[in-house]
Amino acid sequence: MINLTPLSASASSSSSSEPLCYLLELDEARILLDLGQRDFRASAIRGDWSYEEKVRELAPTISLVLLSHSPTTYLSLYPYARARWGLTCPVYATQPTVEMGRVVCLAEVLSWRSEHAIEDSSAASSGGMNGESESELRTNGKGKEPLRGPFIPTVEEIHEAFDSINATRYNQPLHLGGELSHLLLTPFPSGHTLGGTLFKLRSPTSGTVLYAVGINHTSERHLDGMVGGQGGASGYSEGVTRPDLLIIEGGRADIVNAKRRDRESAFLDLITSTLQSNHSVLIPSDPSPRLMETLVLLDQHWSFKLQPLPGQSRPPNQLWPYPLCVVSRTAQDMLAFARSLIEWMGGVLRDSGGEDVLEGGRKGRRRGKKTNGAMGSDYGVLDFRHIQFYSSPTELMHAHPLMRPKVVLAIPPTLSHGPSRWLFTAMAGTEGNVVLLTSRGEENTLARDIYNIWAAGQDATALWGRGRVGHLQDLIGNMQLEMDTKVPLSGAELEAHLEAEREQKEKEAAHQAALARSRRMLEADDLDTDSESGSDDDEFGGTEGMLITRPTEAETEDKMQMSFDIFVKGQQMRVGRGNQAGEMTRFRMFPHLEKKGRKVDAFGEGIDVGSWIRRGKEIEEEGETQEVRDAKKRKIEEEEKKKEPPEPPSKFVNEIVTVSLHASVFFVDMDGLHDGQAIKTIIGDLQPRKIILVRSSKETTFDLIKSLGSTKATKDIFAPSTGEQVVVGEQVASFSVMLGDSISSTLGSKWSRYEDYEVAVIDGNIIFATGSTVPTLEASFVPVPPVVKEVKVETDTITNEPAAATDGDGEMATVKLEPEPAPEEAADMEAIQTSSKASLPLLTVPSSIFVGDLRLAILKSRLGSLAPPIPAEFAGEGVLICGPGVLQGDAAKAGSIVAVRKLSEGNIVLEGGIGRTYDDVKKELYRGFAQVVAA
């Protein structure tokens, strides 16, 4: 039984900006497929937390989480759910998804926290971001706290969450453990992002499930396409074909992508012309997943521009003096991770070392060898020698003033916060500057608003998804933007803050001093022995067994400040009128603080633990070499350098800024995703038995189902809405049986492979062994012992009546002795038994069985891949003509054509003259099935 419930991004009411999250119930396992989150500002504007409420409710019951890609819409809610909502189950993803996902979450969280005040303590308990009180957040009647986002984890929670992910590798089956031990998980490459994954789950009772979202069928500069080059009959790995259930997104079914060459040429030509006109380009970009592709393209373009042409004598920095900058706190970490994951990247980037470079607008022209990477470089095109990294817009402005021409890639791509939003307000007011969008952005974000301005100025044929690249569009008018900034305090505010800090420190110091005094008063065991030995010693004036200590000034001061209620010797004071003699003497009274000493050892000396610890450190240091000491010293120095200086006192300011728009906007789709024609072809090649469409609009879903219905694809297509459960398959009852020695010894030569399974025919008998709950299957020639329950009967010799009977288990049983039947009755009973046996059909096992389904298109592809290939053409419905005679027409020789006819389900006819062609076609036909031999 397979159940799928879209928690978000369904097939009837979804958009490309919604986060992906699906609940898959496979057998008894509850699996979350991805766990994304919306943009922080967009989610706050939307104000609907029903998706997050559902995730919080399900989190403690989830058995497994699979993360397929690293953008925020796929995994950014995972760290918060693990830290705050009890999501403690195993999580699986590829190593690049783990590392790049960590970078994405850190970049988003650090950027948002640098502009907004977030109380982590209150957020941990209530899920809110503004620190509302518990009573304000509770609902009436139920006592359950409602969620109020956005949901911002801490940096420590992000690291802990991603450290706990189990990393997987492509094409390596993984047997899950615990309650998931019956499931087999296999990841496959999907393209689109570094480490992007198609997850295949196989259950012995429910079949195979293939989760395929974020697909890119074409190769890019740093990535291969979906399951590319795996040798499958349809161009894909045979491990992903013919799944019982395919979960795939259909939102781009009506999209026609422009050619990659056209998109890259338009991208680079616009950058070149803008820089040469002494203006700047702002490219909002994501922190990691698609940033790598853009950096490779731009760095190669800069290398080409810095290469002097024949006859030029000017230095390279004068040929192309424009800086290429990235503004992100995590960009350098991303680059370090990427350099360690080169084996996960595309073959062109990994093997070429910068050879294969297409420069903007110059079709067919290729770069020389090894001009991008430095001589002897270990990273090739990932050296990025022309890219400058900055952690904030302020550092960028200090290095390159605002009016200097430059290209700036800034995060995030939505322009909702962080460096990209600040740089947009600074650069959009200058005429000639260009805001270059590489994605449409999420709904309710600034990037989507700018994209809508660009789309409004395009022709109908140049809109996104129509197969063409549009043109530049001017931004006109004013735009009101909400800006959140962190401003250092100054003047009276700074003085008031410092005064408040001083008062707080004084209160804290007084509180700590009070605690220290209370601790000293209660630590009686450190100054005296037990009460009995202490009283004896005081009586005789001795100090044996005592450790005499001298009171400190603080202790003396504490005594003088105490008030006493009982007589204390030596604590007297004189009171009266003046200082005359004979005035009355009064004594301070209770409480009496008795200073007790610490017990000593048998030799009269106390044990100083600190001296032993110091001695141990000295021994360790004496055994260290000079190299070890130098290494420790360097490590300490590096840690001191990494420590960030304390931030000056600051405040968070929210204000409305009016931006006068004079720049231009241009959009080029660089998301690296499939289009409509590709998704239809992919579904046809994968040949799923059942399909569930997700992440699509209602109209697009209807058109895709209609298109698939006109082909030979499956008719079982489901399109659930958000929260709707789809039940696929039926409840299957499974039974466990052990294979006996007589069966196991004969199975070695009977196994036949079909897809991911090995099949064999077994003829045997079920034997129930005594004391075992699992039956054993033995070969048919092994005799089956009768199941007999021993009964001991004791007969009374006088009355000939049966006495109490005892069965083999020692329990009492009642036995009734029946008289033997007469000869006539015995004959009648024998005749009845004979007739009943004759009416039962005898089950026979065929000598061989073919398991599988014939696909003539796959057979044609296999015949074409032989050496030499065998031509094949369709000659009608269910008929494939094969052989060299197909190309010869009427001049075909006898025996050069073989016809394969698919008459009905399970009936195939192979016609033709006996010969080499017949044998080759028959062999390939048999290869498509699992031939199981019974005998």
Side-chain angles (χ1 to χ4, degrees):
M1 179 73 72
I2 304 174
N3 299 339
L4 183 77
T5 306
L7 305 182
S8 179
S10 65
S12 60
S13 59
S14 175
S15 64
S16 59
S17 61
E18 284 197 32
L20 281 75
C21 187
Y22 309 100
L23 175 62
L24 175 66
E25 297 177 80
L26 186 61
D27 299 335
E28 301 298 326
R30 297 166 65 86
I31 305 170
L32 273 186
L33 304 175
D34 288 322
L35 194 54
Q37 185 176 195
R38 296 180 182 88
D39 176 80
F40 295 150
R41 188 180 296 274
S43 60
I45 294 174
R46 192 170 185 265
D48 181 12
W49 315 111
S50 57
Y51 157 63
E52 289 81 2
E53 286 275 9
K54 189 64 176 177
V55 172
R56 181 176 70 165
E57 178 184 348
L58 293 172
T61 66
I62 297 301
S63 307
L64 177 68
V65 176
L66 301 178
L67 303 176
S68 61
H69 295 274
S70 53
T72 57
T73 53
Y74 292 86
L75 54 63
S76 64
L77 189 59
Y78 160 66
Y80 195 93
R82 186 173 188 86
R84 316 285 179 91
W85 294 343
L87 185 68
T88 58
C89 64
V91 184
Y92 288 89
T94 58
Q95 189 65 41
T97 300
V98 174
E99 302 301 341
M100 297 305 172
R102 188 199 307 267
V103 170
V104 168
C105 292
L106 285 174
E108 292 284 334
V109 166
L110 292 174
S111 176
W112 185 263
R113 285 178 175 270
S114 66
E115 299 177 358
H116 299 81
I118 300 175
E119 297 292 339
D120 292 324
S121 59
S122 61
S125 61
S126 65
M129 62 164 287
N130 298 320
E132 297 86 348
S133 64
E134 185 175 351
S135 59
E136 292 174 347
L137 286 176
R138 289 190 180 275
T139 57
N140 295 328
K142 296 182 180 180
K144 182 181 178 182
E145 299 169 357
L147 292 179
R148 293 183 59 183
F151 306 98
I152 317 296
T154 63
V155 174
E156 293 76 13
E157 290 170 350
I158 292 175
H159 284 297
E160 189 278 332
F162 283 94
D163 288 341
S164 63
I165 297 179
N166 300 289
T168 62
R169 299 193 65 86
Y170 288 149
N171 306 313
Q172 291 188 0
L174 177 65
H175 290 275
L176 305 179
E179 61 179 350
L180 307 173
S181 57
H182 64 290
L183 297 179
L184 182 66
L185 175 67
T186 308
F188 296 94
S190 68
H192 177 49
T193 61
L194 183 62
T197 312
L198 306 178
F199 282 111
K200 177 183 176 182
L201 280 166
R202 192 180 79 179
S203 168
T205 57
S206 302
T208 57
V209 178
L210 182 64
Y211 177 61
V213 295
I215 298 174
N216 187 15
H217 60 294
T218 60
S219 297
E220 298 183 275
R221 293 180 180 271
H222 80 297
L223 289 178
D224 287 330
M226 166 190 167
V227 202
Q230 306 265 339
S234 58
Y236 301 118
S237 170
E238 293 185 358
V240 301
T241 57
R242 295 297 290 164
D244 295 294
L245 175 63
L246 174 65
I247 305 172
I248 194 168
E249 59 180 323
R252 297 176 64 93
D254 58 348
I255 299 300
V256 179
N257 287 339
K259 294 181 179 179
R260 174 185 165 186
R261 182 184 295 271
D262 296 340
R263 287 186 279 114
E264 292 183 351
S265 297
F267 182 82
L268 296 177
D269 288 346
L270 177 63
I271 291 176
T272 302
S273 61
T274 303
L275 292 176
Q276 290 177 347
S277 63
N278 290 328
H279 294 97
S280 300
V281 179
L282 172 62
I283 307 177
S285 179
D286 61 86
S288 171
R290 297 298 305 170
L291 176 62
M292 182 64 63
E293 180 74 11
T294 307
L295 291 182
V296 172
L297 177 63
L298 290 176
D299 190 70
Q300 291 176 344
H301 183 65
W302 253 245
S303 296
F304 175 79
K305 288 296 183 180
L306 291 172
Q307 185 71 21
L309 298 176
Q312 289 184 341
S313 58
R314 291 194 302 171
N317 57 352
Q318 295 183 8
L319 293 174
W320 191 251
Y322 310 109
L324 176 59
C325 310
V326 177
V327 184
S328 172
R329 295 188 181 186
T330 59
Q332 291 180 309
D333 294 334
M334 179 273 298
L335 181 58
F337 288 137
R339 286 172 173 172
S340 65
L341 300 170
I342 294 180
E343 69 273 11
W344 293 83
M345 299 185 184
V348 173
L349 184 147
R350 183 175 60 249
D351 300 333
S352 66
E355 296 179 23
D356 189 4
V357 181
L358 171 65
E359 296 307 329
R362 306 190 181 188
K363 299 182 179 181
R365 180 171 179 175
R366 301 290 174 178
R367 285 267 325 279
K369 185 176 181 180
K370 293 289 184 182
T371 56
N372 190 355
M375 187 66 65
S377 170
D378 295 333
Y379 306 117
V381 295
L382 295 185
D383 274 339
F384 294 146
R385 294 184 297 125
H386 312 299
I387 298 177
Q388 304 172 20
F389 296 94
Y390 301 94
S391 61
S392 66
T394 304
E395 291 186 11
L396 173 67
M397 292 298 109
H398 287 165
H400 306 290
L402 182 61
M403 301 307 297
R404 179 181 177 182
K406 54 186 169 295
V407 174
V408 182
L409 292 90
I411 65 164
T414 57
L415 295 170
S416 62
H417 57 87
S420 62
R421 191 177 183 89
W422 190 92
L423 289 170
F424 175 80
T425 60
M427 299 174 63
T430 303
E431 186 176 357
N433 288 349
V434 175
V435 179
L436 182 53
L437 301 177
T438 57
S439 64
R440 296 191 303 159
E442 298 184 23
E443 296 177 355
N444 299 322
T445 62
L446 177 58
R448 177 59 69 89
D449 295 339
I450 298 175
Y451 165 80
N452 291 335
I453 296 175
W454 175 84
Q458 306 301 311
D459 299 333
T461 58
L463 290 174
W464 172 71
R466 298 295 179 265
R468 290 179 53 190
V469 179
H471 56 80
L472 201 64
Q473 177 66 30
D474 294 333
L475 296 174
I476 303 175
N478 297 328
M479 179 178 289
Q480 302 286 335
L481 293 180
E482 182 180 3
M483 298 295 296
D484 299 281
T485 54
K486 189 176 183 180
V487 181
L489 298 179
S490 60
E493 290 182 338
L494 179 59
E495 293 179 1
H497 176 78
L498 296 178
E499 182 65 25
E501 279 191 345
R502 282 194 296 268
E503 293 179 358
Q504 183 66 26
K505 289 180 180 178
E506 290 175 358
K507 292 180 180 179
E508 184 67 23
H511 179 65
Q512 294 296 332
L515 292 177
R517 283 197 301 270
S518 301
R519 189 165 51 250
R520 287 195 299 269
M521 292 170 60
L522 296 176
E523 289 176 349
D525 292 339
D526 293 339
L527 302 175
D528 198 1
T529 60
D530 56 349
S531 58
E532 295 182 0
S533 61
S535 60
D536 295 340
D537 295 335
D538 292 342
E539 182 179 356
F540 295 99
T543 58
E544 182 179 357
M546 300 290 293
L547 178 62
I548 306 302
T549 59
R550 185 180 299 276
T552 62
E553 294 182 1
E555 293 172 351
T556 305
E557 182 182 357
D558 292 341
K559 282 186 176 182
M560 297 302 296
Q561 293 178 357
M562 291 182 191
S563 62
F564 293 80
D565 295 332
I566 63 174
F567 170 78
V568 180
K569 183 178 181 180
Q571 295 290 337
Q572 64 181 6
M573 61 181 297
R574 298 180 182 273
V575 295
R577 298 175 182 177
N579 296 326
Q580 300 177 2
E583 60 186 7
M584 184 175 59
T585 302
R586 294 184 180 181
F587 296 90
R588 294 189 177 184
M589 310 298 283
F590 186 79
H592 171 63
L593 180 62
E594 181 182 2
K595 293 297 183 180
K596 295 183 178 182
R598 183 180 56 186
K599 287 184 178 181
V600 298
D601 58 10
F603 298 96
E605 182 179 359
I607 299 177
D608 187 1
V609 180
S611 63
W612 289 101
I613 296 176
R614 289 191 296 271
R615 180 56 181 165
K617 291 182 179 180
E618 292 175 0
I619 294 174
E620 291 180 0
E621 292 176 356
E622 290 176 359
E624 293 179 351
T625 60
Q626 186 63 31
E627 291 78 5
V628 175
R629 297 193 189 97
D630 294 341
K632 285 186 176 181
K633 185 177 180 181
R634 287 194 301 268
K635 184 178 180 181
I636 294 174
E637 293 176 353
E638 291 176 358
E639 290 178 354
E640 291 294 332
K641 292 180 181 179
K642 289 182 180 179
K643 288 183 179 179
E644 297 183 359
E647 294 185 1
S650 57
K651 62 180 179 179
F652 295 94
V653 179
N654 178 274
E655 58 182 347
I656 303 298
V657 177
T658 301
V659 181
S660 180
L661 302 178
H662 297 285
S664 302
V665 60
F666 188 73
F667 170 73
V668 179
D669 186 5
M670 304 288 285
D671 273 342
L673 288 169
H674 63 272
D675 59 2
Q677 182 61 37
I679 195 63
K680 296 170 186 176
T681 305
I682 290 171
I683 292 176
D685 291 341
L686 295 181
Q687 305 168 18
R689 293 178 173 88
K690 296 179 181 179
I691 301 174
I692 295 182
L693 298 177
V694 295
R695 204 185 189 191
S696 177
S697 63
K698 189 173 182 179
E699 296 77 12
T700 305
T701 301
F702 177 79
D703 294 340
L704 180 57
I705 293 176
K706 184 179 179 180
S707 175
L708 294 176
S710 61
T711 64
K712 294 184 179 180
T714 178
K715 305 299 181 183
D716 296 329
I717 304 177
F718 305 91
S721 58
T722 303
E724 179 184 357
Q725 185 182 66
V726 175
V727 181
V728 180
E730 300 177 354
Q731 187 68 32
V732 178
S734 60
F735 303 93
S736 298
V737 62
M738 293 190 301
L739 298 182
D741 295 338
S742 59
I743 293 291
S744 302
S745 60
T746 59
L747 280 180
S749 60
K750 290 187 176 182
W751 291 112
S752 181
R753 186 172 182 82
Y754 174 66
E755 294 183 355
D756 289 343
Y757 305 92
E758 290 186 346
V759 188
V761 173
I762 298 176
D763 179 16
N765 299 322
I766 297 291
I767 298 177
F768 293 88
T770 304
S772 176
T773 59
V774 180
T776 303
L777 181 64
E778 295 286 358
S780 56
F781 57 81
V782 176
V784 179
V787 180
V788 179
K789 192 173 184 180
E790 297 181 357
V791 179
K792 297 179 180 179
V793 181
E794 296 180 359
T795 305
D796 194 335
T797 56
I798 300 176
T799 61
N800 202 24
E801 292 292 334
T806 305
D807 61 11
D809 297 330
E811 299 177 354
M812 301 303 295
T814 302
V815 179
K816 184 178 181 180
L817 300 179
E818 295 290 345
E820 295 184 1
E824 296 82 2
E825 296 178 357
D828 294 340
M829 292 178 62
E830 184 178 358
I832 293 173
Q833 294 177 359
T834 304
S835 62
S836 63
K837 291 181 180 180
S839 62
L840 295 176
L842 296 178
L843 299 178
T844 59
V845 179
S847 59
S848 62
I849 301 175
F850 289 92
V851 180
D853 185 20
L854 174 63
R855 294 272 179 166
L856 294 179
I858 296 180
L859 178 61
K860 178 182 176 182
S861 176
R862 286 180 174 174
L863 293 175
S865 62
L866 296 177
I870 298 178
E873 296 291 342
F874 288 100
E877 186 68 22
V879 180
L880 183 67
I881 306 299
C882 318
V886 174
L887 303 178
Q888 298 174 4
D890 298 337
K893 299 180 180 179
S896 62
I897 295 180
V898 176
V900 181
R901 301 180 185 273
K902 189 176 180 181
L903 301 180
S904 61
E905 190 69 24
N907 294 323
I908 302 171
V909 176
L910 184 63
E911 299 177 345
I914 302 299
R916 180 176 180 180
T917 302
Y918 184 89
D919 293 339
D920 292 342
V921 173
K922 181 180 178 182
K923 184 184 300 182
E924 289 301 319
L925 180 63
Y926 280 16
R927 280 186 56 195
F929 299 92
Q931 186 176 2
V932 183
V933 180

